[in-house]
Amino acid sequence: FSGALGGSYPLGDHFTLAANLARGFRAPSLFELFANGVHGGVAAVQLGNPDLEAEEPLNLDLALRWRFDRVTGSVTAYNNRIDNYIFLLDTGEQAPNGLPIFAHEQADATIRGVEAEMLVDVGSDLSLRLVLDLVDTENRASNDSLPLTPANEVLTELTWRPDSIAGLRAPYLRGALRSAD
């Protein structure tokens, strides 16, 4: 079965605590089951696995959100345990054409992390946005990280929104700096 249960609780005028528990189901795609050849988009040979079973995740997340006149934001921590997680594994082999061979595999996995975001109105037409994404993954059978785990990331973004420029309605100029680990 799949379903979710969630709720939020106000902590005064400016803060809200939220929690969600969800269970899902994802059957393997036809590609994951039966691929057998070059995938031009990634310049690799990908092999399907007809023995793959459905993924069954159980996710828990907890968030703290805040809202003030000039500052809004949230911090969310999550833990997602996925039985039969499907992933691409670099086999370390090469096809006769020299391309690397990746195969669809499966293992019980855990994906956990923290996401934080804050938006600050610096002035009447200037805002600053800060985002932090931290991800940790684990193949529970081998205790190794899952392949293709997203990098930890920090984003700093400054946006200028004047009322108008030369007759343009709702113009804006945005600059961002993204750093990934």
Side-chain angles (χ1 to χ4, degrees), residues 113-131:
V114 174
E115 298 172 347
E117 181 173 4
M118 187 166 59
L119 181 62
V120 180
D121 289 331
V122 179
S124 62
D125 56 1
L126 192 62
S127 64
L128 174 66
R129 180 173 169 242
L130 303 168
V131 179

Side-chain angles (χ1 to χ4, degrees), residues 123-166:
S124 62
D125 56 1
L126 192 62
S127 64
L128 174 66
R129 180 173 169 242
L130 303 168
V131 179
L132 172 69
D133 285 318
L134 303 174
V135 180
D136 180 45
T137 64
E138 178 187 13
N139 176 328
R140 293 197 313 260
S142 67
N143 295 323
D144 293 328
S145 294
L146 296 170
L148 306 175
T149 296
N152 295 326
E153 189 172 73
V154 175
L155 171 71
T156 305
E157 186 176 84
L158 193 61
T159 304
W160 176 53
R161 295 181 186 275
D163 291 334
S164 67
I165 297 177

